[in-house]
Amino acid sequence: MHPKSFYFYLLLLCIGSTELSAQLGFCGGNSGDPIFTEDFGSGNTDGPALPAGTTTYTFTTGTPNDGSYTISSTTNYFGWKNIQDHTPGDTNGKSFIVNASFTAGEFYQRQVEDLCENTSYEFSSWLINLQDAGGCEGNSIPVNVRFQIWDETDTILLAQGDTNSIFASSGAEWEQYALVFKTEPGQTSVILKMRNNSNGGCGNDLAIDDIVFKSCGDNVTVSTNTNETSLVVCDNQGSVSRTLTATPDFSIFSTHAYQWQQSTDQQVWTDIANETTSTLSTPAITTTSYFRVKIAEDPINVNKDLCNVVSDVFDIIVLPIPNTPLSSGDITICEGEVGILSASTESSYTVNWFDAPTDGNLLLEANNNFETSIAGTYYAAANSPEIECASLSRTAITLTVNLPPSVEDESLEFCEDTTMILNADLNNVSYEWSTGATTKEITVGEPGTYTVLLTDVNGCSATKTIELEQIDIPRIDTIISDGPSIIVSTSNDGDFEFSLDGFNFQTSSIFEAVEGGLYTIYVQDTSDCGVVTQSFFHLVIPKFFTPNGDSVNDVYEPEGLEVFNNVEFSIFNRYGKLLKFGNSNSSSWDGSFQGNQMPEDDYWFVIKADTTQFKGHFSLKR
């Protein structure tokens, strides 16, 4: 839409029709087949123009300006919404595109002929406001159309109704509007008119499509005396029949004339001779049949398809007995998996699953697939989802469940600095170790968790897990003399045994009451992973002595120094005074200094034995 003065818009908006609007509405009952349809065609070329006398607007094959229209498959003008036409299934479908004139008034009229006198009709049309919500700076003139039905003399207004204001929006939804009218006695033609209730300007831009005229009558239901509105039976039930009753709601007609019809496809309908009342006793039905009734207010119009309406359809559907379902084949799975048994049947039927070829228990209903992990033979039957109409036999489908390879997990140990052979323990399977190896055995040298996936000829698998623990070789940390005891400490933990001769082992790391001297210390693990040794000079240094003349512990004398070539032996008091100095031939002290007995106290010693030096203290007790 070309921009105009905003104030000019306001002026035009204040000028409008003084005619009173009326109520639009759809036929409240049943309708007949369309008598007149206008969908404006399809194609990529605009046009053709409407017949002369249809509109006072100017036809254009380009952009429709104010007071112009086009017949086109596009609405992409002036930034309008670019939408498809309304007609379902159209390719490049066209619609009637109108840019309202500056002056409100009529923009379309068309005569509709071949109507029936004294008959109700429904006119309907689809319409859309082409302006977007943001068009005209948000001040777009709304669409407001009045539909009118005049007699063929264009002097008697039979019906009219207004759409009321249809405002611009961000959506693009077609809306249907309808108007119900009744022809006068002797009247077989009417004139349809459309007019703009709003003036043009920036806005009031619309598209119209799918104009339809249909006869309009009562809402007529067809049912049995037990209120059935349709019937589904199985072919093995034999023939069926029903007494049908047509019930109009008197919303349009005050009197009723009837003609019953029958069809096998709902496309071609055949009148049933002499069935012209509100009830029908159907013949014996053995194949699917459909029944309806034509109704008119006047008997003269009941067989005129432009004048009558048709009731709801009463279906008698005779289902053929379904064929036995087709199997997708027996299934083999491995234990722990879920098998999916499959069977297929005709599209209008479903599959039920049983545990027996006849009777038995219903396991699953209305599903082509049955899932189970339990081995056995299962049976599929076809049936109708609406009624009991089952196949005469069932299809057997077997599920076989194979056991996977039998494995036992293991916990193994190996000695440090050695290797270990791990064995899958099964033959005639494939192997897939966590190391990537594919052999039955692998050699490893690191502790940890190892797995092997074993797959048999049936494709069933099991995983064997081996926990491999390393037994560490003992590591001697320290060996000390504690009086007559030797204490061994290791830097690692384990089930260790200790020995001074390599033959006799003990679990304790403390050797008690050991004479001084040079020893070899042996430490081994109880799993026989090897022995470590270390030489140790055990010097037994007393912690105290009692020089009281009782011949018991009267001399302070370390044990074991005899193994050394050169020994220096020194005793000091707490003030560092040298009280005794000796050598290999004199490495003891009687507790005196220069003939005087030393008092009770702590004293210190320094022993130099070859290249080794020992220091410590001891107590003199009286």
Side-chain angles (χ1 to χ4, degrees):
M1 173 64 67
H2 291 299
K4 279 94 174 176
S5 166
F6 177 71
Y7 295 102
F8 184 54
Y9 299 156
L10 295 179
L11 175 62
L12 293 180
L13 284 169
C14 294
I15 301 173
S17 169
T18 60
E19 297 181 56
L20 295 175
S21 63
Q23 182 66 43
L24 294 176
F26 292 89
C27 177
N30 288 74
S31 300
D33 295 328
I35 297 166
F36 168 82
T37 300
E38 175 60 82
D39 63 8
F40 302 102
S42 61
N44 291 318
T45 304
D46 293 350
L50 297 175
T54 303
T55 181
T56 58
Y57 278 31
T58 302
F59 172 73
T60 179
T61 56
T63 301
N65 293 310
D66 296 287
S68 299
Y69 77 96
T70 188
I71 307 294
S72 180
S73 60
T74 183
T75 60
N76 191 21
Y77 309 110
F78 303 121
W80 295 346
K81 300 169 186 171
N82 189 21
I83 60 169
Q84 294 181 341
D85 77 327
H86 172 266
T87 308
D90 261 5
T91 301
N92 297 318
K94 298 178 183 180
S95 58
F96 175 31
I97 301 166
V98 179
N99 190 335
S101 172
F102 287 115
T103 304
E106 182 182 310
F107 65 89
Y108 180 90
Q109 73 164 271
R110 180 151 190 174
Q111 188 163 353
V112 180
E113 300 177 334
D114 297 324
L115 303 180
C116 298
E117 60 179 304
N118 199 31
T119 301
S120 295
Y121 288 93
E122 177 193 85
F123 148 78
S124 66
S125 180
W126 292 82
L127 186 148
I128 189 170
N129 186 336
L130 295 174
Q131 277 285 349
D132 193 73
C136 304
E137 299 180 352
N139 296 301
S140 173
I141 301 169
V143 170
N144 192 333
V145 174
R146 174 170 295 175
F147 300 107
Q148 294 180 328
I149 306 294
W150 294 78
D151 74 339
E152 69 268 25
T153 67
D154 201 10
T155 59
I156 301 174
L157 179 62
L158 302 179
Q160 70 173 356
D162 295 341
T163 64
N164 296 323
S165 294
I166 305 171
F167 295 95
S169 67
S170 57
E173 298 293 332
W174 285 91
E175 296 289 343
Q176 188 181 29
Y177 300 88
L179 188 64
V180 176
F181 67 94
K182 187 173 183 179
T183 56
E184 300 289 336
Q187 182 182 22
T188 59
S189 176
V190 296
I191 299 172
L192 165 66
K193 294 184 180 182
M194 301 182 194
R195 61 167 287 138
N196 268 312
N197 289 334
S198 299
N199 299 314
C202 194
N204 199 3
D205 307 306
L206 65 145
I208 293 175
D209 202 7
D210 293 330
I211 300 171
V212 175
F213 278 79
K214 297 188 293 186
S215 58
C216 175
D218 287 351
N219 181 30
V220 183
T221 59
V222 177
S223 61
T224 67
N225 59 354
T226 57
N227 294 322
E228 294 172 311
T229 57
S230 64
L231 182 64
V232 180
V233 297
C234 188
D235 191 36
N236 61 7
Q237 292 180 238
S239 62
V240 295
S241 62
R242 289 291 189 272
T243 297
L244 309 180
T245 300
T247 306
D249 66 357
F250 287 85
S251 60
I252 305 296
F253 297 158
S254 57
T255 61
H256 301 87
Y258 302 92
Q259 174 59 62
W260 286 91
Q261 293 184 307
Q262 183 175 359
S263 175
T264 58
D265 59 5
Q266 297 199 74
Q267 301 297 317
V268 177
W269 291 91
T270 303
D271 290 348
I272 304 174
N274 302 319
E275 296 293 348
T276 57
T277 66
S278 62
T279 62
L280 169 69
S281 293
T282 70
I285 301 299
T286 57
T287 59
T288 295
S289 297
Y290 306 93
F291 296 90
R292 73 179 186 181
V293 62
K294 296 187 294 186
I295 303 175
E297 192 167 21
D298 192 324
I300 197 173
N301 290 331
V302 74
N303 287 312
K304 296 179 181 180
D305 290 342
L306 300 181
C307 309
N308 60 31
V309 296
V310 293
S311 69
D312 297 341
V313 176
F314 189 94
D315 306 337
I316 300 181
I317 308 297
V318 180
L319 297 177
I321 297 173
N323 294 320
T324 303
L326 297 176
S327 169
S328 296
D330 294 337
I331 299 297
T332 299
I333 63 172
C334 299
E335 187 179 54
E337 298 176 346
V338 175
I340 302 176
L341 309 182
S342 295
S344 59
T345 185
E346 295 98 320
S347 60
S348 57
Y349 297 93
T350 57
V351 175
N352 295 340
W353 295 87
F354 296 86
D355 60 2
T358 58
D359 299 328
N361 297 305
L362 176 63
L363 304 176
L364 179 66
E365 194 172 13
N367 199 316
N368 284 19
N369 299 320
F370 177 65
E371 297 184 9
T372 182
S373 58
I374 301 174
T377 299
Y378 300 87
Y379 300 87
N383 205 345
S384 167
E386 300 175 84
I387 63 169
E388 180 62 27
C389 192
S391 55
L392 298 179
S393 61
R394 299 173 182 173
T395 300
I397 305 178
T398 299
L399 175 69
T400 301
V401 179
N402 290 320
L403 296 176
S406 178
V407 299
E408 291 186 10
D409 294 340
E410 292 184 276
S411 294
L412 303 176
E413 296 177 339
F414 77 115
C415 297
E416 183 180 7
D417 295 333
T418 65
T419 59
M420 185 73 172
I421 296 176
L422 306 183
N423 194 317
D425 290 335
L426 282 180
N427 298 317
N428 301 318
V429 295
S430 65
Y431 312 93
E432 185 177 340
W433 289 88
S434 54
T435 61
T438 57
T439 55
K440 181 179 178 182
E441 296 180 341
I442 61 172
T443 300
V444 297
E446 295 292 334
T449 300
Y450 295 85
T451 61
V452 56
L453 179 67
L454 308 172
T455 304
D456 64 19
V457 293
N458 295 317
C460 297
S461 299
T463 299
K464 177 184 177 72
T465 300
I466 300 175
E467 297 289 346
L468 184 60
E469 183 179 354
Q470 177 178 286
I471 299 174
D472 292 337
I473 297 173
R475 293 178 177 81
I476 298 175
D477 184 21
T478 61
I479 304 174
I480 61 173
S481 296
D482 184 14
S485 299
I486 298 176
I487 301 175
V488 182
S489 297
T490 58
S491 60
N492 59 336
D493 296 326
D495 294 328
F496 299 148
E497 294 178 325
F498 305 85
S499 175
L500 294 179
D501 59 10
F503 298 102
N504 300 301
F505 284 87
Q506 63 182 42
T507 58
S508 174
S509 62
I510 300 174
F511 298 96
E512 297 180 342
V514 181
E515 294 182 356
L518 182 63
Y519 292 89
T520 298
I521 308 298
Y522 299 83
V523 183
Q524 69 177 13
D525 185 270
T526 57
S527 299
D528 196 23
C529 281
V531 180
V532 292
T533 61
Q534 183 173 319
S535 296
F536 176 69
F537 173 72
H538 177 43
L539 179 64
V540 180
I541 301 176
K543 295 182 179 180
F544 68 93
F545 77 113
T546 56
N548 54 13
D550 62 0
S551 300
V552 177
N553 202 21
D554 282 340
V555 178
Y556 184 79
E557 184 176 16
E559 297 179 12
L561 292 177
E562 62 274 8
V563 300
F564 295 100
N565 295 318
N566 296 298
V567 175
E568 293 183 357
F569 178 69
S570 301
I571 303 294
F572 302 88
N573 67 10
R574 67 174 53 250
Y575 305 108
K577 182 177 180 179
L578 178 64
L579 304 178
K580 166 72 177 183
F581 178 80
N583 53 29
S584 300
N585 298 320
S586 178
S587 56
S588 63
W589 184 47
D590 61 3
S592 65
F593 175 68
Q594 295 180 349
N596 296 317
Q597 297 294 319
M598 296 282 84
E600 287 189 354
D601 203 350
D602 286 341
Y603 295 87
W604 277 254
F605 66 87
V606 175
I607 300 174
K608 294 180 180 179
D610 292 341
T611 59
T612 305
Q613 181 173 280
F614 303 92
K615 292 183 178 181
H617 65 88
F618 60 93
S619 297
L620 187 156
K621 295 181 180 182
R622 297 289 182 181

